[in-house]
Amino acid sequence: MVGVADADARCPCGSGGSYAACCEPLHDGRETAATAERLMRSRYAAYALGRSAYVFRTWHPRTRPADVEPVPGLVWTGLTVQDVVGGGADDAEGTVEFEAAFVTGEGPDVLHERSRFVRRGDRWVYVDGDTNTP
């Protein structure tokens, strides 16, 4: 997990930038994601850092679960974006395909998901995704 108090810590979203300049402004509500990919990356970073309120807030109200608490013992270890279709600043919907590596007590694994996003008003929200793991 990235030390969020360290302004120079690399953002877990894989952008290469610091957390303070990358996903922290989105997590804190000071900015909104301009694209579906940016939202997806910021949601991954929120999962990696245990920022469940952000994950909940950026999930479409019709599809989000009642609870998005972190899975005990699960540690997110890396993100690779594989494909982006639509989801630009002027689009109404988009999809982002990615692989998110993680480790549990049972060992390492990878979540492969094709996520759907829609624009609600002036902000992107996650709708749902097709995955290879639960």
Side-chain angles (χ1 to χ4, degrees):
M1 173 153 58
V2 170
V4 295
D6 181 357
D8 295 326
R10 290 285 164 228
C11 191
C13 82
S15 68
S18 71
Y19 174 68
C22 189
C23 288
E24 186 176 44
L26 280 75
H27 292 170
D28 290 346
R30 292 178 278 139
E31 294 179 13
T32 58
T35 67
E37 179 182 356
R38 182 88 169 92
L39 180 65
M40 189 280 310
R41 286 182 176 278
S42 69
R43 284 173 54 85
Y44 171 84
Y47 275 110
L49 298 171
R51 305 231 19 202
S52 300
Y54 180 79
V55 173
F56 187 83
R57 192 169 66 246
T58 58
W59 205 316
H60 196 290
R62 281 187 254 163
T63 59
R64 75 177 164 222
D67 187 325
V68 292
E69 290 304 310
V71 176
L74 187 145
V75 177
W76 296 101
T77 58
L79 176 68
T80 304
V81 173
Q82 297 181 319
D83 189 31
V84 178
V85 177
D90 297 324
D91 293 327
E93 58 186 48
T95 58
V96 180
E97 183 176 357
F98 65 91
E99 288 188 343
F102 63 93
V103 176
T104 66
E106 298 174 11
D109 204 346
V110 175
L111 167 71
H112 182 180
E113 180 170 310
R114 189 162 191 74
S115 298
R116 289 187 327 117
F117 298 87
V118 296
R119 188 181 295 279
R120 263 185 76 123
D122 62 347
R123 64 184 193 103
W124 286 101
V125 292
Y126 171 79
V127 176
D128 58 20
D130 297 320
T131 64
N132 69 334
T133 60

